């Protein structure tokens, strides 16, 4: 049974940092990613990575967010620096066994950036 469990969210002030974690179990995933959904908006890709180490980022987070993974622990991370109020959203971990496979989702975790 596949499970993706996110942790590390919360309420922070603008300009500070958070690190999200996603512990995966039940399979080995080639493609893992973080998405987010703000109130009234569609879910959007934040960052993605493959088991080979390639990454891509949304333009809005380039230079501030870093996606990484520990393949031995089957865990995905998102280091978020210099957070802005517009980063406020529910963040979701996703995982696929390969690029065209079914996409699994975590339950989501709230990140709120506010002074």
């Amino acid at each position: 049974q596949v499970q993706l469990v996110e942790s590390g969210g919360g309420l922070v002030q603008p300009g500070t940092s958070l690190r999200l974690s996603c512990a995966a179990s039940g399979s080995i995933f080639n493609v893992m990613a973080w998405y987010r959904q703000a109130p009234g908006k569609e879910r959007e890709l934040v960052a993605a990575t493959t088991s080979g180490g390639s990454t891509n980022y949304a333009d809005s987070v380039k230079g501030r967010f870093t996606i990484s993974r520990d393949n031995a622990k089957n865990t995905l991370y998102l280091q978020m620096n210099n957070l802005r109020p517009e980063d406020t959203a529910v963040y979701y971990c996703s995982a696929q066994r390969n690029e065209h496979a079914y996409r699994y989702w975590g339950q989501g975790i709230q990140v709120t950036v506010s002074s």
Side-chain angles (χ1 to χ4, degrees):
Q1 180 182 359
V2 172
Q3 280 194 314
L4 303 175
V5 180
E6 299 106 334
S7 61
L11 170 64
V12 296
Q13 292 189 337
T16 60
S17 300
L18 270 180
R19 189 175 82 153
L20 303 182
S21 299
C22 172
S25 61
S27 186
I28 301 298
F29 302 102
N30 180 26
V31 181
M32 298 188 77
W34 290 99
Y35 285 74
R36 67 186 180 186
Q37 188 166 18
K41 295 188 176 181
E42 293 187 354
R43 191 172 297 189
E44 63 175 359
L45 176 69
V46 176
T49 185
T50 68
S51 57
S54 63
T55 58
N56 68 286
Y57 295 89
D59 288 343
S60 59
V61 306
K62 282 180 181 177
R64 300 187 299 123
F65 291 11
T66 302
I67 190 171
S68 63
R69 61 193 290 172
D70 184 331
N71 290 328
K73 295 182 178 180
N74 215 9
T75 300
L76 180 72
Y77 303 99
L78 184 69
Q79 178 66 42
M80 305 185 291
N81 297 329
N82 192 20
L83 282 160
R84 304 168 179 169
E86 53 264 39
D87 295 317
T88 295
V90 176
Y91 283 71
Y92 296 90
C93 172
S94 79
Q96 296 168 277
R97 291 187 177 93
N98 56 64
E99 183 178 357
H100 302 291
Y102 176 81
R103 188 189 305 276
Y104 294 92
W105 294 97
Q107 80 283 2
I109 191 164
Q110 179 70 45
V111 172
T112 303
V113 184
S114 174
S115 55

